[in-house]
Amino acid sequence: MGLLKELCTINLSEIGRELHLFAAKLYPICRSITGDGIRKTLNVIQRKIPLQIHEVQTGTSVFDWKIPKEWNIRNAYIKAPDGQFVVDFQQCNLHVVNYSKPIHATLPLSEIRPHLFTIPDEPDWIPYRTSYYNEDWGFCLTHNQMLTLEDGDYEVSIDATLEDGHLTYGECYLAGRSSDEVLISCHICHPSLANDNLSGLAVATFLAQHLSGRDLRYSYRFLFIPGTIGAITWLAQNKETVERIRNGLVLSCVGDAKGFHYKKSRRGDAEIDRAVACVLRECNEPLEILDFSPYGYDERQYCSPGFNLPVGCLMRSVWGTFPEYHTSADNMDFILPESLGGSFQACVAIVDALERNQKYINQNPFCEPQLGRRNLYKATGVESDGREINARLWVLNLSDGENSLLDIAERSGMSFSLICDAAELLNQSGLLRVMPA
Ligand SMILES: [Zn+2]
């Protein structure tokens, strides 16, 4: 049974609930681009799928970058002159600017203010801020909280370490019949942020679990990496593997209530770009296709000119365009079980399309074969509108070894699954043969 047909027998709303629970388990962890938050996250993922965990030393050169110092945080707070906590890291890990250097001092409010960040337009939300490559410290709080601060001396404490250590990432490799690979990549470096971070990693984990142990045409490589520096590190250290990547997908922001957005690879017409467009147009959710741009998630690195890999990015809401983006409102209520389940289903459909998209050769190319004699001139489905027969005729006509099933679906305007079903039936009847890769 194909991956997608089997999915029809699975309870998707149950998978959606499981995805949401899985994300909820990871939500409280304070992640960053290095440190124990990433290790804890990978350990949770490792309970579901075979995951190799890599540690790359601080100072290691990766293309134009260097692995930064490792950051770990235990606690942080600001105490008002009356001893009350103004902000408390234990309440919300977004309160500390991610990668803040340690500090413990008593300072007048005027000296603290430049280190405080709020969102005046959303006065009840806490922003998410980072300072990875510029050693500094800071706190994030709600604007309403900031408005209550009165002059006086405040105790600021960030109990963190920023020292030589490692960058950690996880890799799950599922071997298929071919060494050609499909890359699935997600970032795992954001603290308590649900859509931007946890939704992608949850769907990637469940997809790896779903594909694990199957007879697959492609090999699949799942990367759970810190954004930007993680992708750069992996690319720098895996140049030989890179050459085997035939298709790839970055997953992010796949848990909110909106329809799908797919950002095409830099190539624009790669198999993955066409497969996603073809497959997601058939699903019941809205789909918008976006051209490549050199900003966004790790597709920026995979699609840098030196690599130019066929890697696109699947999202629901696009990063930076929804008000909850990089704020405390991107929480577990912002991602929905049904959206996560729908994204998982879409990913399975995309993988199914890549697995099935082959070239066939018509074994009877001189005029049409007599389909009636082979019982192929009547529809097997409930529709008797001839679509199945037309799909067979399209597949027979265009299966000259030049056209893939995706080419045939695009040229005929018929659904990809109908074309695939036709090809598989004709293959069984001996009228087609799979063209060797
Ligand atoms: Zn982000």
Side-chain angles (χ1 to χ4, degrees):
M1 207 190 300
L3 287 165
L4 202 56
K5 288 202 174 115
E6 187 192 321
L7 198 62
C8 297
T9 66
I10 295 175
N11 186 339
L12 262 181
S13 58
E14 180 58 33
I15 288 191
R17 276 195 297 276
E18 283 177 28
L19 279 159
H20 199 266
L21 275 175
F22 185 72
K25 193 183 288 180
L26 296 167
Y27 182 73
I29 300 174
C30 184
R31 279 165 292 271
S32 184
I33 54 172
T34 62
D36 290 334
I38 283 221
R39 294 191 186 94
K40 273 186 210 161
T41 301
L42 293 174
N43 289 340
V44 174
I45 297 171
Q46 205 171 31
R47 284 182 223 143
K48 281 196 140 1
I49 56 172
L51 196 69
Q52 220 187 331
I53 295 175
H54 301 267
E55 299 272 357
V56 186
Q57 256 183 357
T58 298
T60 305
S61 289
V62 285
F63 295 119
D64 198 39
W65 300 58
K66 270 197 168 47
I67 303 291
K69 289 178 184 172
E70 180 178 326
W71 185 69
N72 284 291
I73 181 157
R74 282 165 293 278
N75 198 14
Y77 58 84
I78 302 177
K79 258 191 211 172
D82 65 0
Q84 295 288 314
F85 281 108
V86 175
V87 299
D88 181 0
F89 172 77
Q90 303 302 336
Q91 297 297 316
C92 175
N93 57 37
L94 298 178
H95 274 315
V96 174
V97 171
N98 203 280
Y99 249 71
S100 280
K101 64 183 180 183
I103 181 173
H104 191 183
T106 299
L107 300 167
L109 184 60
S110 58
E111 282 184 38
I112 297 173
R113 274 199 195 280
H115 297 273
L116 299 183
F117 303 95
T118 69
I119 313 169
D121 289 344
E122 293 290 353
D124 290 319
W125 295 357
I126 304 164
Y128 161 58
R129 289 274 193 141
T130 65
S131 186
Y132 299 141
Y133 300 104
N134 172 30
E135 281 196 21
D136 201 352
W137 62 272
F139 287 88
C140 300
L141 61 165
T142 70
H143 198 67
N144 282 337
Q145 222 176 346
M146 176 132 105
L147 295 177
T148 66
L149 302 185
E150 290 171 3
D151 282 343
D153 288 339
Y154 287 71
E155 182 185 343
V156 293
S157 171
I158 298 177
D159 179 12
T161 51
L162 189 55
E163 49 199 30
D164 285 355
H166 295 85
L167 174 144
T168 313
Y169 70 89
E171 190 168 22
C172 168
Y173 178 72
L174 305 175
R177 296 193 296 281
S178 163
S179 60
D180 288 350
E181 293 192 8
V182 176
L183 180 77
I184 309 286
S185 177
C186 59
H187 65 286
I188 57 162
C189 52
H190 290 22
S192 292
L193 294 170
N195 201 32
D196 180 11
N197 178 33
L198 295 177
S199 67
L201 84 86
V203 170
T205 303
F206 278 54
L207 182 64
Q209 192 181 36
H210 188 70
L211 299 181
S212 178
R214 281 174 197 276
D215 176 27
L216 296 163
R217 177 176 154 215
Y218 285 111
S219 296
Y220 289 78
R221 189 177 299 275
F222 290 80
L223 296 181
F224 299 89
I225 50 177
T228 308
I229 187 69
I232 293 170
T233 301
W234 186 82
L235 286 163
Q237 300 201 331
N238 292 276
K239 286 181 198 148
E240 281 176 22
T241 303
V242 167
E243 288 169 16
R244 298 200 293 269
I245 296 173
R246 296 290 168 268
N247 288 293
L249 208 51
V250 169
L251 293 177
S252 183
C253 299
V254 288
D256 63 272
K258 294 284 164 55
F260 289 113
H261 286 89
Y262 173 73
K263 175 180 159 184
K264 290 198 275 192
S265 73
R266 180 179 182 270
R267 298 183 188 186
D269 61 350
E271 187 187 15
I272 184 73
D273 301 324
R274 297 166 55 210
V276 171
C278 212
V279 162
L280 293 193
R281 270 195 203 114
E282 285 179 38
C283 85
N284 296 327
E285 299 197 52
L287 166 70
E288 202 177 320
I289 308 252
L290 310 171
D291 282 328
F292 177 77
S293 56
Y295 34 83
Y297 291 105
D298 285 327
E299 69 280 2
R300 293 173 3 237
Q301 314 310 331
Y302 302 127
C303 295
S304 56
F307 290 109
N308 198 20
L309 294 174
V311 177
C313 177
L314 183 68
M315 300 161 273
R316 285 184 177 276
S317 284
V318 176
W319 65 276
T321 63
F322 51 100
E324 295 84 356
Y325 175 75
H326 281 190
T327 76
S328 55
D330 181 3
N331 57 29
M332 288 308 299
D333 294 334
F334 187 61
I335 61 172
L336 309 171
E338 53 270 34
S339 296
L340 292 164
S343 296
F344 171 76
Q345 185 179 32
C347 289
V348 173
I350 293 164
V351 168
D352 184 67
L354 297 174
E355 288 282 310
R356 294 174 94 187
N357 183 34
Q358 305 194 65
K359 288 178 182 170
Y360 290 83
I361 301 174
N362 185 341
Q363 301 300 290
N364 198 99
F366 298 104
C367 301
E368 287 178 359
Q370 196 179 358
L371 294 179
R373 185 158 64 78
R374 296 173 173 87
N375 212 18
L376 294 172
Y377 206 66
K378 65 174 191 233
T380 56
V382 279
E383 307 97 345
S384 53
D385 58 4
R387 283 190 308 151
E388 287 185 344
I389 294 161
N390 288 351
R392 286 168 209 157
L393 295 175
W394 272 111
V395 171
L396 282 167
N397 189 284
L398 292 180
S399 287
D400 53 4
E402 293 292 319
N403 296 296
S404 69
L405 296 186
L406 203 48
D407 294 323
I408 300 173
E410 287 177 347
R411 186 154 164 194
S412 66
M414 304 194 88
S415 90
F416 181 69
S417 57
L418 200 62
I419 292 293
C420 285
D421 289 347
E424 283 156 19
L425 188 70
L426 292 165
N427 190 40
Q428 282 161 21
S429 77
L431 287 173
L432 292 182
R433 142 173 95 72
V434 177
M435 193 172 139

